[in-house]
Amino acid sequence: MSALPLLFTAGWASGVNAYLVVLLLGLLGRFGLADAVPETLQRSDVLIAATALFLIEVVADKVPYLDSFWDAVHTVIRPIAGGVVAALLAGQDDSLPELAAAAVGGTAALVSHLVKAGTRMAVNTSPEPASNIVVSTAEDIGVAGIITLAVFNPVAAAVVATILLVIGLALVSLFASRIRRALRRRRARRTARHVVAAK
């Protein structure tokens, strides 16, 4: 069977939380639960780094506005991670050229990252911090569940990831005006700080 569903799902999940994807795939491979996971992802140094970065993301991703800053920083990191993970998985399977696999994983990661970042901007317009914690926790649980499903049933996982991506795009479109207001407020605060500093 083609590895395409697994590559797409891993890319989608990397756009939400790349460190958790690397950690879960590495652990599933390390404990012999997934033959499709390359040894590179199972190495101790990779697992330790992924664990440390995942723990940092767990905290940063639940703090209003810090989460949006974290997302901005990861606009490059997550698509690259999605592409690399997909290329490594394709290298194990040999059913798809690694460059094509990287394009699939990287593109899926970029789109899901933009959905996540846009959704978070909308959530940050809410006056209370609990919504950030709820959304972030749901994202982490969703990534863990879909990656685990992808290892055992990649087609079903790809279908779920596609549905979530479509819903996410619809939500970002729906909340576009709220996101624009949040960006305007952020620019206004930045301008005010510059004016104060110049005095």
Side-chain angles (χ1 to χ4, degrees):
M1 181 185 290
S2 170
L4 191 58
L6 176 59
L7 305 183
F8 170 76
T9 305
W12 172 86
S14 294
V16 180
N17 192 328
Y19 307 124
L20 182 55
V21 171
V22 172
L23 178 59
L24 283 175
L25 287 175
L27 289 174
L28 287 167
R30 188 81 170 259
F31 291 111
L33 299 171
D35 296 332
V37 178
E39 289 186 14
T40 303
L41 296 178
Q42 301 177 41
R43 287 172 26 193
S44 296
D45 58 334
V46 172
L47 291 174
I48 290 168
T51 301
L53 290 166
F54 168 63
L55 292 174
I56 293 170
E57 178 148 330
V58 164
V59 176
D61 208 39
K62 291 173 177 59
V63 179
Y65 296 104
L66 177 59
D67 61 348
S68 288
F69 171 76
W70 186 260
D71 284 338
V73 170
H74 283 75
T75 300
V76 174
I77 296 170
R78 288 176 183 149
I80 290 174
V84 169
V85 168
L88 289 170
L89 291 170
Q92 280 287 106
D93 185 79
D94 284 334
S95 66
L96 194 69
E98 290 180 23
L99 189 59
V104 169
T107 302
L110 177 61
V111 175
S112 66
H113 163 75
L114 294 175
V115 167
K116 172 185 168 125
T119 304
R120 285 313 186 83
M121 285 184 188
V123 170
N124 281 334
T125 63
S126 174
E128 39 69 41
S131 52
N132 293 74
I133 296 169
V134 170
V135 171
S136 176
T137 303
E139 288 171 352
D140 293 342
I141 292 170
V143 166
I146 288 178
I147 285 296
T148 304
L149 177 62
V151 167
F152 299 105
N153 192 333
V155 174
V159 169
V160 173
T162 300
I163 291 169
L164 290 174
L165 193 58
V166 169
I167 291 171
L169 287 168
L171 285 173
V172 169
S173 176
L174 186 65
F175 292 131
S177 61
R178 181 183 280 192
I179 293 167
R180 282 194 293 271
R181 282 197 304 271
L183 289 173
R184 280 197 298 270
R185 278 201 297 270
R186 187 181 298 168
R187 279 196 294 270
R189 281 197 299 271
R190 195 177 301 132
T191 302
R193 280 198 299 269
H194 289 314
V195 170
V196 170
K199 287 183 178 179

